[in-house]
């Protein structure tokens, strides 16, 4: 069995959770279920997007994957150093400061450690807010969440839709629609 994450997505394919390449379900399959068509039209008016336009949906799915990858990368870049520093401070406190330093030096250690942890936590929060709070990316997330809902309605109505399609979880936060936000474009390498 070939590694599904090793090649670039082909025509009508996108990367789903875990980087696995999946085939997009055509809009006509979703539209064949009346409840899904109604949901697509209602959500389309609300979110200013045509959920039955295959090219637009493919672009949306690819943008959603890029957004998720960037969120994960930002979390790792901020979280891993924070975890290492916290572990180092705890080990140093447990192995040295707690037992062999005077109470004055312990207070200096606590103040310094608190400042370092505070700076790392501030960096972590600012990084995540910058990622989650981007209005154009929130717009993509809102549309992706609506598309997921439409696909699930179609599947429940008997359409030939694979389980878990479109193979990513719902956005429970930071998926607000901002009509005035810019439309994101795919980077050149992700257009196909």
């Amino acid at each position: 069995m070939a590694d599904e994450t090793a090649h670039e997505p082909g025509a009508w394919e996108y990367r789903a959770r875990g980087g696995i390449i999946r085939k997009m379900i055509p809009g006509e399959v979703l539209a064949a279920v009346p409840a899904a068509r109604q949901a697509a039209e209602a959500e389309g008016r609300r979110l200013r997007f045509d959920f039955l336009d295959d090219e637009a949906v493919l672009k949306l799915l690819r943008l959603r994957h890029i957004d998720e990858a960037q969120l994960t990368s930002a979390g790792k870049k901020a979280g891993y150093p924070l975890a290492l520093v916290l572990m180092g401070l705890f080990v140093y406190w447990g192995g040295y400061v707690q037992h062999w330093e005077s109470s004055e030096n312990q207070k200096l250690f606590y103040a310094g450690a608190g400042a370092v942890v505070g700076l790392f936590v501030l960096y972590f929060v600012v990084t995540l807010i910058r990622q989650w709070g981007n209005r154009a990316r929130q717009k993509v997330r809102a549309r992706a969440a609506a598309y997921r809902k439409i696909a699930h309605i179609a599947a429940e109505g008997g359409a030939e839709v694979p389980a878990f399609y479109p193979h990513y979880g719902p956005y429970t936060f930071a998926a607000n629609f901002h009509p005035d936000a810019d439309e994101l474009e795919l980077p050149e390498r992700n257009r196909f």
Side-chain angles (χ1 to χ4, degrees):
M1 183 172 170
D3 182 12
E4 293 184 23
T5 62
H7 69 279
E8 288 298 311
W12 306 111
E13 292 181 332
Y14 65 97
R15 287 194 186 278
R17 180 166 278 168
I20 296 173
I21 299 205
R22 300 287 183 189
K23 190 100 169 139
M24 189 189 89
I25 301 300
E28 64 190 29
V29 173
L30 303 179
V33 176
R37 176 180 277 288
Q38 289 174 346
E41 291 168 354
E43 290 293 323
R45 283 189 298 277
R46 183 177 73 86
L47 299 173
R48 300 179 187 175
F49 187 81
D50 185 356
F51 288 101
L52 301 177
D53 177 352
D54 290 343
E55 288 185 19
V57 169
L58 182 62
K59 178 182 171 185
L60 172 70
L61 292 172
R62 290 177 176 178
L63 285 171
R64 191 227 36 91
H65 171 72
I66 291 169
D67 177 55
E68 184 174 280
Q70 289 174 345
L71 282 170
T72 301
S73 175
K76 287 178 181 178
K77 285 178 185 174
Y80 289 165
L82 176 61
L84 287 172
V85 166
L86 287 174
M87 188 177 75
L89 288 173
F90 181 75
V91 167
Y92 186 69
W93 171 79
Y96 184 75
V97 174
Q98 181 181 7
H99 298 290
W100 290 290
E101 287 291 335
S102 67
S103 66
E104 185 176 310
N105 285 348
Q106 284 182 356
K107 289 177 187 173
L108 286 173
F109 171 79
Y110 295 142
V116 168
V117 170
L119 286 173
F120 267 102
V121 169
L122 180 65
Y123 171 72
F124 186 74
V125 169
V126 167
T127 300
L128 294 182
I129 287 174
R130 184 177 297 143
Q131 296 292 324
W132 287 332
N134 183 304
R135 293 167 74 86
R137 289 172 61 182
Q138 284 188 10
K139 190 179 199 179
V140 167
R141 291 179 206 132
R143 288 174 174 167
Y147 180 71
R148 182 177 190 271
K149 183 173 108 178
I150 294 162
H152 284 230
I153 291 170
E156 291 167 4
E160 290 290 324
V161 177
F164 307 110
Y165 179 79
H167 307 287
Y168 61 86
Y171 286 103
T172 56
F173 55 88
N176 303 314
F177 179 68
H178 301 282
D180 57 331
D182 293 335
E183 294 289 336
L184 294 179
E185 291 299 323
L186 287 170
E188 220 28 66
R189 69 176 183 81
N190 288 313
R191 288 199 180 272
F192 302 104

